Amino acid sequence: MRRKTDETDIEINYSKELFIDTGDPVLNHLLKTLFYYMEKNIIIKAKFDLNHHLWEDMGITIGQFLKNEVEGKKIKRFGTSILPMDDALILVSVDISRSYTNIDINIKDAEKGFELGNFKELVLGLSRYLQSTIHIKQINGENAHHIIEASFKALGSALKTALEPSDKHESTNRVYEV
């Protein structure tokens, strides 16, 4: 899958190994973490003008990629993960059904590359294009690196569960033919 705009050129494909080259070392690290915890081997290559555009469009592209993967399939739909990383403790809950995002994070110790604004843009794009509800709640933590990396780990873990195949239609809202 490829997304090309005037600001970014992002390509995601399945691979035998996990390989990420976005041009942003922090985003490379975080995306490797996300897909590692999702247990998906993919290759991502990207070019961009500004980091903000890269993070935002990366969320959109990942959302489209995952949506294409599950289109027309029965999936578990829900996934939740509570994950620690040093001082950080993060809860992530996902429902793949309709788009809504709630990010409750308060970073006290900033670190270059781990900006909350870029993180939010990525998650908002992912939520919109995967058509998923994503709640991310910081239970504890001060260090930006630990909070955001734990969020990517927990998001990957929650998405892994939500995207797993299911034998049944995971909804009480059924469409009946008349």
Side-chain angles (χ1 to χ4, degrees):
M1 147 157 278
R2 184 174 184 193
R3 175 179 169 81
K4 184 172 173 43
T5 69
D6 289 342
E7 300 162 338
T8 63
D9 186 358
I10 300 171
E11 192 167 355
I12 303 177
N13 292 297
Y14 290 103
S15 178
K16 292 181 181 180
E17 296 179 24
L18 181 56
F19 178 80
I20 313 282
D21 182 13
T22 66
D24 177 340
V26 171
L27 186 57
N28 289 350
H29 171 63
L30 295 171
L31 292 177
K32 283 180 186 174
T33 299
L34 176 72
F35 282 97
Y36 176 84
Y37 281 87
M38 288 175 63
E39 296 184 8
K40 293 190 180 299
N41 284 332
I42 50 91
I43 183 168
I44 296 179
K45 293 184 180 178
K47 296 178 183 174
F48 63 97
D49 60 356
L50 301 172
N51 264 9
H52 174 89
H53 296 149
L54 173 65
W55 285 64
E56 179 180 23
D57 284 10
M58 188 60 69
I60 292 168
T61 309
I62 292 169
Q64 291 172 325
F65 179 79
L66 295 175
K67 182 72 173 171
N68 288 345
E69 179 182 308
V70 299
E71 195 73 47
K73 297 178 183 173
K74 294 178 184 175
I75 57 171
K76 288 189 176 174
R77 182 179 156 184
F78 299 100
T80 298
S81 178
I82 300 173
L83 205 140
M85 182 175 170
D86 299 336
D87 61 301
L89 181 61
I90 303 294
L91 176 139
V92 173
S93 194
V94 173
D95 173 10
I96 300 174
S97 63
R98 57 189 157 270
S99 180
Y100 177 80
T101 307
N102 182 306
I103 300 172
D104 183 6
I105 290 179
N106 179 20
I107 294 175
K108 296 176 184 166
D109 297 338
E111 184 175 336
K112 185 169 174 39
F114 294 89
E115 287 86 12
L116 184 56
N118 285 340
F119 172 72
K120 285 182 176 181
E121 289 300 326
L122 187 145
V123 174
L124 287 167
L126 171 62
S127 171
R128 257 191 334 268
Y129 284 83
L130 179 55
Q131 294 178 340
S132 59
T133 296
I134 300 175
H135 288 269
I136 301 175
K137 176 141 182 84
Q138 174 186 342
I139 298 168
N140 200 22
E142 295 183 9
N143 179 277
H145 184 148
H146 300 159
I147 293 166
I148 290 178
E149 185 170 344
S151 296
F152 271 86
K153 289 177 178 180
L155 180 59
S157 179
L159 283 169
K160 176 187 178 293
T161 301
L163 294 167
E164 288 175 352
S166 176
D167 293 333
K168 63 180 183 172
H169 178 74
E170 298 291 343
S171 177
T172 57
N173 183 12
R174 300 198 187 250
V175 177
Y176 297 97
E177 291 187 31
V178 182

